[in-house]
């Protein structure tokens, strides 16, 4: 099970960065209006899937795994996949937990 510290890092660092970048890229705000929507997008795209038996449908259904249910090793793979995707498609660097990032903004 994921540690509370890593879950906080995910919800307070990764999700807001991705949310902001998607809005800056022109994704309508109505589609990424909440952290939960962005969280669901990341979970469906990057969390390892789980097969569960559905008695109602009488078949196995594939569901994205809950981020909270990941162990620390699985979470770091999940995080690294998101970081690679963010660099490639969003053009943004997502820092690791406890990584100090300094932003240098030149003033005129």
């Amino acid at each position: 099970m994921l540690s509370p510290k890593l879950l906080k890092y995910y919800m307070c660092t990764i999700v807001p960065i991705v949310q902001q970048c998607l809005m800056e890229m022109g994704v309508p705000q109505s589609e990424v209006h909440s952290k939960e929507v962005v969280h669901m997008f990341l979970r469906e795209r990057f969390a390892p899937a789980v097969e569960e038996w559905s008695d109602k449908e009488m078949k196995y259904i594939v569901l994205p795994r809950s981020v909270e249910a990941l162990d620390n090793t699985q979470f770091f793979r999940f995080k690294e996949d998101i970081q690679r995707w963010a660099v490639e498609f969003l053009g943004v660097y997502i820092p690791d937990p406890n990584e100090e990032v300094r932003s240098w903004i030149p003033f005129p």
Side-chain angles (χ1 to χ4, degrees):
M1 186 165 169
L2 189 62
S3 74
K5 184 177 179 180
L6 289 176
L7 184 59
K8 182 179 178 184
Y9 156 75
Y10 169 71
M11 291 304 290
C12 295
T13 303
I14 294 176
V15 171
I17 289 172
V18 170
Q19 181 181 31
Q20 183 64 38
C21 288
L22 290 173
M23 286 189 290
E24 288 175 6
M25 290 181 67
V27 175
Q29 188 173 1
S30 61
E31 292 183 24
V32 291
H33 66 282
S34 73
K35 285 183 179 180
E36 186 60 31
V37 171
V38 176
H39 162 66
M40 288 176 12
F41 166 75
L42 294 173
R43 181 188 69 154
E44 289 172 8
R45 183 170 177 112
F46 298 106
V50 176
E51 283 189 357
E52 290 185 5
W53 177 256
S54 171
D55 288 332
K56 183 178 178 181
E57 297 180 29
M58 297 299 292
K59 66 178 183 178
Y60 280 100
I61 55 175
V62 178
L63 302 170
R65 181 175 286 173
S66 165
V67 173
E68 295 85 1
L70 298 176
D71 63 29
N72 288 353
T73 303
Q74 292 169 327
F75 176 77
F76 278 102
R77 276 191 234 124
F78 172 71
K79 172 197 69 76
E80 288 169 356
D81 289 344
I82 293 171
Q83 286 173 317
R84 279 191 293 276
W85 172 81
V87 167
E88 186 175 343
F89 292 101
L90 302 178
V92 67
Y93 174 74
I94 297 175
D96 286 331
N98 299 325
E99 180 179 353
E100 184 177 330
V101 177
R102 294 183 183 194
S103 177
W104 299 97
I105 302 172
F107 292 96

